[in-house]
Amino acid sequence: MKKFLFKSLKFTVFATVFFVLLNLLYFGIVVKRDHGFRNRMESLKFDNPDFEVLVLGASTSFDAFDTELLTANGYKSYNLAIAGSSVKTSLIQLREYLDMYSTKPKYVLFGLNAPMVTTFDDEYVIPEIEVTMADHKYCLNDVPILKFKWMGFELLKRFASETHREARLVLGQLKFQRNIPDYTSCVEQELEFNEYESSFWVGEVVKFCEDNDIELIIIEMPGYKETQNITETGLHKISFSNRYTADLYNYNSQEFSSMFISDEDWVGNSHLNEFGAIKFTNEIIRLLKEMDDQL
Amino acid sequence: MNTISAEFAISAIAAAIIYYLINPRYRVGFLAVLSCAFIASFNYLLLPYIIVYSLINYYIGLKLPDSKNKKLLYRAAIAFNILQLVILQYSSFAIDPFFQIINSSFHVSKLSEIIVPIGISYFTLQGIGYIINIKMGWEKPERNFLDFLLYISFFPKFLSGPVERSNHFLPQLKENQEFNESEVTIGLRIALVGFLKKIAIANQMSPFVLDTFSDLGSADGSSLWILMLLLPIYLYFDFSGYTDIAIGFARMFGIKLLPNFNRPFFAENVSTFWKRFHISLAAWFGDYIFRQTVFRRRKWGVYASMYAVFITWMLFGIWHGAGWNFMVLGLLQALAINYEFFTRKTRYRLFSKWPKFLRLWFGRIVVYLFYGVSLVFFFSSDLQSVFTFFSGMSTVEYSIIDVLWRQIPMSAMVLAALFFILELFEEDYNGFFEKLKNFWWDGWKGSRFFRWSIYSFILAMLFVLGNKAEQFIYAQF
């Protein structure tokens, strides 16, 4: 029995060391290979960035804003959006960016999807941002194989599927070529402005941009037909409880989104692929040029 | 206490250490107390119920061999066992409708809300099996009540089996259980594999399976096709995972439980399949229902078997639950087994010219598909849902590969494939499998380092994937 207990103790020590090494290795791999993490690490190491346009938001923005195309059209830009981001996370990223770098962006494009979230006021901060924030205090919950579990599954997908491997990260945008058609159907629904106007964190982003003289453009992102609405594309002026106002463009209107072709432009579940992103970004460029003319 | 949890595993290991430290005389008592505490952790009232249930069967078992009214006592014992099962498990189906007919608001099924009858289908079969063994003279009555109580309540098998036989379980308690390092480590390994099957495969598939079944009306045909093909794999890993945990932990205490699975998807026909899938239950029905029925109807000749097959499998179906869908599940198995029995010669003539490999795999695929179809009845809540399922399969909108890719975590698919590849080697390429075993155990210098790394990796996987433990399917019976 003693021999068995000693052997068990040896195995426990072995398993603990193995666990630590596994976590270190996993963390190293996700930092280097995961698109969201790479985006985050890249954004922390800019050398005097002079981006005129910054993109914020979650996965739909991560895929849809073609910052390479924006840059080629004279709007030097970077896509800070990361899959799963909450509005609070986006605000943290923007604050950090202004704290770290001296040049402010002229425009912030903030892509959101009212139908895809239950609220814009989620209090969580996505793990890639959380663990790399300057004041983050590490605890047991930060065990990488647990904290970044889903990244492992994403990496497995990329390991097994060529179509997943072909995704590229360019100036913060995640570019996919593959297509998953949109088989859903349109329904008659209005855009819920109240979801924006009642959101504390969206109001805080608006306030922060205005206080820092940044032109904020809130964009309701294009999505699958079932999420599209019959409200006009806009410009819509929305106001918040903190008395700030902002411009919102409803690019998820059926009118605007009719430009996207089901079996060409989508990469699945309301996310645009590279081709859809080009169409979408061309509209954004047109919008920015109009705004520049007005200024 | 949830069996699929770290706290259960740690408690069981700690209990095993204490078990071997205490005087061998008190070990059965210690396990009985542990099992009682385990049962009480689910429902306090269930514990006295189990004790009284065990006491009645124990007492009848003692009295039965020398009783003047042996037949009457035997029938009373069987009736008691079945009655308590019907009252606590099937009253909503078999008793309450009668009260509704006479416009009474009395519901016997309310009793099962007070005494939550967890594990009742299993311990009832064990109780009946014991009584039949005594009556037939296959076993002597158990004189030690603690031993008998442990036979009924032993915690690793209490929730979902294996369905133990008293003449297999009780003699093990009489042996002096010396600490045996090899047995304990074998037990731990089996339990680890069980956790891997349950947490890393079955639990990963369960959101797709359970969500689709909860809203069959809106599921598209591609999902339903995938689901039907996936159900046997899902149930296998769910249930065999649980069984491995039960067998593994029991083995740590020096008790060998009956096997429950033996590479079932490599069976070439339905009759063989049921000798490999849920073996302990199918064997129980085979020994105590099928054989007894055939014996009683032996004058009918070959039709006695046909009749017995129908009776056995209908009861097998009903054992799973109070519903017509479960009856159809049993009926399907009975039809298939009878079909195989009566067409044996014709099929032999038809297929004997086929190459062995083709014949083998054709049989395996047909059995798998047949079981997939059967499980639609198993997982559906009623026959209406079964109809919705099969009619929904005709409207395929999305690519089946796409659905598979999006809905089922790849890690689960890869692990399931690995298990099946190993089973294939063991089944069809035994020589190679032996080489693999040698490689695993002793083939080279760093084999222990390699093994420990794999075990550690599995533990890490369980840590990551096991955050949301889910109940196993067969716990509801």
Side-chain angles (χ1 to χ4, degrees), chain A residues 7 146 149 156 164 183, chain B residues 181 398 405 410 452 464 467:
Chain A
K7 202 170 154 186
L146 198 58
K149 181 166 119 179
L156 266 178
H164 279 81
Y183 290 120
Chain B
E181 187 185 327
Y398 306 112
W405 185 249
M410 209 178 61
W452 280 20
V464 173
N467 289 324

Side-chain angles (χ1 to χ4, degrees), chain A residues 1-5 7 10-12 14-16 18-19 22 140 143 145-146 149 153 156-161 163-164 178-181 183-184, chain B residues 16-18 20-21 179 181 184-185 188 204 397-398 402 405-406 409-411 448-449 452-457 459-461 463-467:
Chain A
M1 180 99 169
K2 269 184 194 167
K3 199 178 136 199
F4 172 75
L5 288 176
K7 202 170 154 186
K10 258 175 38 181
F11 176 72
T12 310
F14 180 90
T16 310
F18 184 93
F19 189 72
L22 184 72
L140 264 179
V143 172
I145 56 170
L146 198 58
K149 181 166 119 179
F153 294 125
L156 266 178
K157 278 186 193 170
R158 281 163 61 189
F159 178 74
S161 145
T163 46
H164 279 81
R178 73 194 167 104
N179 167 251
I180 296 177
Y183 290 120
T184 65
Chain B
I17 293 170
I18 298 169
Y20 288 109
L21 287 176
F179 176 78
E181 187 185 327
V184 174
T185 47
L188 281 170
Q204 306 309 308
E397 278 182 34
Y398 306 112
D402 264 357
W405 185 249
R406 275 187 283 130
M410 209 178 61
S411 57
R448 182 195 270 191
F449 177 81
W452 280 20
S453 301
I454 298 288
Y455 297 147
S456 304
F457 186 72
L459 285 171
M461 267 182 83
F463 172 75
V464 173
L465 299 170
N467 289 324

